[in-house]
Amino acid sequence: MFCVPKHYEDDLERVYIPHGLIMDRTERLARNIVNDFGYEEPIVALCVLKGGYRFFGDLLNYISALNRNTDRSFQMSVDFIRLKSYQNDQATGKIQVIGGDNLENLRGKNVMIVEDIIDTGKTMLKLLDLVKDYNPKKVRVVSLLVKRTPHSVGYRPDYIGFEVPDKFVVGYALDYNEFFRDLNHVCVVNEKGKEKYAIPKSD
């Protein structure tokens, strides 16, 4: 019933969260964030690349609309950081910061970290430790997805879009080895898709 690109039709188990539902929830998150942060001080929005870029863009568009359509407003700037913790569908156990701006401008600021998915929580805890080195005034985390997994360290972000089962989800910029980012919906990739796009293991 949902449109997916032809080249992915045989690689998906199911559409889990359709695009329209993502947008509705993102608008609600934007309202909650604006209400909680208030209008007194600027916010630095920090996007975790690559998987967070679509959620980040849509969330900021909704926040900007709220900023334009009220009698009060606040300044908002953006920064980006890139992390890597997965190969194929397995966490590597190593969290690499492989790109990002100079985070010095987070010092003394209100920071909103925008992430695509919280899995075990280890990656976000690592990032929070990194961000805290710059002594921000306040840090809040918003994640589109939180995975229900027995491997979780118990971390929960401040704002959650959806909880998802312990399956490998793709789409809406979430990837499997850089594939599936061009899906509009959040989907579950099947075993055929995992095999098709797997990175060969080195000896």
Side-chain angles (χ1 to χ4, degrees):
M1 296 296 292
F2 298 101
C3 294
V4 298
K6 200 76 174 173
H7 52 277
Y8 290 142
E9 280 186 349
D10 296 331
D11 305 322
L12 302 173
E13 181 178 311
R14 60 175 293 196
V15 173
Y16 193 75
I17 308 172
H19 183 254
L21 189 57
I22 295 170
M23 299 305 288
D24 288 346
R25 181 62 181 145
T26 302
E27 182 178 17
R28 171 52 57 188
L29 287 173
R31 292 183 182 277
N32 293 343
I33 290 164
V34 169
N35 289 338
D36 292 349
F37 270 94
Y39 290 89
E40 288 75 26
E41 297 179 356
I43 296 174
V44 179
L46 180 63
C47 176
V48 181
L49 297 171
K50 295 179 183 178
Y53 80 86
R54 284 193 64 177
F55 177 50
F56 182 78
D58 289 334
L59 181 67
L60 263 60
N61 283 339
Y62 282 124
I63 291 175
S64 296
L66 293 169
N67 219 7
R68 291 193 305 269
N69 297 321
T70 60
D71 56 355
R72 296 182 298 168
S73 63
F74 56 89
Q75 289 183 321
M76 186 167 56
S77 57
V78 300
D79 266 315
F80 300 89
I81 191 165
R82 187 176 173 198
L83 308 175
K84 187 173 180 64
S85 60
Y86 268 89
Q87 179 170 301
N88 294 331
D89 62 344
Q90 300 296 316
T92 61
K94 299 177 183 178
I95 299 164
Q96 301 171 277
V97 179
I98 56 176
D101 289 350
N102 181 355
L103 300 181
E104 185 64 36
N105 65 346
L106 303 183
R107 195 173 299 277
K109 303 286 183 58
N110 290 325
V111 179
M112 178 182 70
I113 299 174
V114 182
E115 173 69 291
D116 57 349
I117 185 168
I118 302 292
D119 193 329
T120 65
K122 293 178 183 179
T123 300
M124 183 52 64
L125 290 175
K126 173 85 171 180
L127 177 56
L128 286 170
D129 284 343
L130 176 64
V131 168
K132 287 174 182 176
D133 287 342
Y134 295 89
N135 297 313
K137 182 175 181 179
K138 179 167 66 175
V139 179
R140 296 289 182 268
V141 177
V142 53
S143 182
L144 174 65
L145 306 174
V146 172
K147 186 176 287 189
R148 296 188 295 268
T149 171
H151 306 295
S152 171
V153 297
Y155 172 77
R156 301 277 294 178
D158 303 284
Y159 306 95
I160 298 170
F162 304 91
E163 293 199 15
V164 295
D166 193 15
K167 292 179 176 289
F168 203 89
V169 292
V170 295
Y172 194 63
L174 284 86
D175 77 301
Y176 177 79
N177 295 332
E178 299 301 325
F179 294 95
F180 300 101
R181 294 194 194 275
D182 50 337
L183 280 168
N184 271 340
H185 316 294
V186 171
C187 303
V188 178
V189 64
N190 61 26
E191 292 304 317
K192 180 180 177 180
K194 290 180 184 179
E195 182 179 344
K196 181 177 178 180
Y197 297 110
I199 294 175
K201 293 182 179 180
S202 56
D203 296 331

